[in-house]
Amino acid sequence: RKEVEQDPGPFNVPEGATVAFNCTYSNSASQSFFWYRQDCRKEPKLLMSVYSSGNEDGRFTAQLNRASQYISLLIRDSKLSDSATYLCVVNSFMDTGRRALTFGSGTRLQVQP
Amino acid sequence: EAGVVQSPRYKIIEKKQPVAFWCNPISGHNTLYWYLQNLGQGPELLIRYENEEAVDDSQLPKDRFSAERLKGVDSTLKIQPAELGDSAVYLCASSVGLAPGEQYFGPGTRLTVT
């Protein structure tokens, strides 16, 4: 089982739709969580951190469910410019005491006019 | 403020040849990361530096890959000899300290090994 798993998609949605992605992680000792966005042939960029109580940034809402070990990203009122790959990132402490930052494979979103 | 700079942006080499990638992080960022990203996959960490020290190189294939960050600023990643399976995008990122959620990535070097 992969440490961080995402549905690769693509999720094809019309403009204005609400879409949600989930990301599951296997290490129960994971400390912090993030969503990055990556446009085609570009570098990843931080979209938002995920806080235990859930957090919102405009049309984007991130949530964490530690009991079930997943995080989610909800996008409301989708725009064409939201088309991208969304990468789930999990920061964990390993047995060695070192931190490990693990990226999921990403979920591709295509918003259609 | 300048972002993370990487060069070259593209490189095509024949297998068994050596190749080197260069990265200059954002000024003041003491943590530097090298990642490998294959098509349709997320970035995979190769090595992480805190200043000059490589603190996590467990995923670096040391038989053919090497990296250095001599003065704690810019860094070079080398592959010698390159294999067909090394074709990928090599991303460099930097952050202030251990701020895993605030990494800034460079544009990457797209390597094609023929």
Side-chain angles (χ1 to χ4, degrees):
Chain A
R1 182 185 172 187
K2 287 184 179 179
E3 288 185 48
V4 179
E5 292 201 67
Q6 296 183 252
D7 181 339
F11 284 58
N12 295 302
V13 303
E15 273 186 288
T18 295
V19 62
F21 315 130
N22 280 348
C23 165
T24 59
Y25 60 94
S26 60
N27 186 346
S28 59
S30 296
Q31 300 288 311
S32 50
F33 310 87
F34 310 90
W35 284 103
Y36 275 69
R37 170 193 169 131
Q38 186 170 26
D39 292 300
C40 186
R41 301 179 80 86
K42 297 286 189 180
E43 70 273 22
K45 293 182 180 179
L46 178 66
L47 177 65
M48 60 195 303
S49 302
V50 185
Y51 301 126
S52 298
S53 55
N55 48 297
E56 193 173 300
D57 183 1
R59 298 181 293 108
F60 298 82
T61 300
Q63 291 193 312
L64 167 64
N65 185 317
R66 284 195 182 273
S68 300
Q69 294 184 200
Y70 74 86
I71 66 172
S72 64
L73 178 67
L74 180 80
I75 305 175
R76 290 182 299 278
D77 188 22
S78 299
K79 311 291 184 190
L80 294 175
S81 57
D82 294 334
S83 298
T85 295
Y86 291 85
L87 299 164
C88 166
V89 184
V90 176
N91 181 39
S92 309
F93 277 105
M94 310 305 287
D95 293 341
T96 57
R98 297 270 192 208
R99 290 191 193 190
L101 194 64
T102 306
F103 282 75
S105 296
T107 297
R108 191 155 71 89
L109 171 66
Q110 185 67 48
V111 181
Q112 296 164 339
Chain B
E1 179 182 319
V4 177
V5 179
Q6 289 188 250
S7 68
R9 293 293 310 279
Y10 304 91
K11 189 74 176 179
I12 300 174
I13 61 171
E14 293 182 348
K15 62 182 180 182
K16 301 185 182 180
Q17 294 300 307
V19 66
F21 315 126
W22 178 79
C23 172
N24 194 35
I26 292 173
S27 178
H29 284 196
N30 61 318
T31 303
L32 183 146
Y33 314 75
W34 281 104
Y35 290 91
L36 175 155
Q37 186 172 27
N38 286 304
L39 188 64
Q41 301 295 315
E44 298 173 27
L45 182 70
L46 291 172
I47 190 168
R48 175 166 63 92
Y49 282 95
E50 291 177 22
N51 299 306
E52 304 87 359
E53 183 185 1
V55 296
D56 185 354
D57 63 355
S58 57
Q59 301 303 311
L60 189 73
K62 297 181 183 65
D63 57 335
R64 297 184 299 107
F65 286 64
S66 64
E68 60 182 16
R69 193 185 185 199
L70 294 175
K71 296 182 179 179
V73 181
D74 58 343
S75 175
T76 302
L77 177 69
K78 298 178 182 177
I79 308 175
Q80 182 171 10
E83 296 178 354
L84 295 175
D86 295 332
S87 296
V89 176
Y90 292 81
L91 292 162
C92 179
S94 69
S95 64
V96 176
L98 293 175
E102 295 183 13
Q103 292 183 56
Y104 293 84
F105 283 83
T109 296
R110 187 173 298 274
L111 174 67
T112 301
V113 182
T114 63

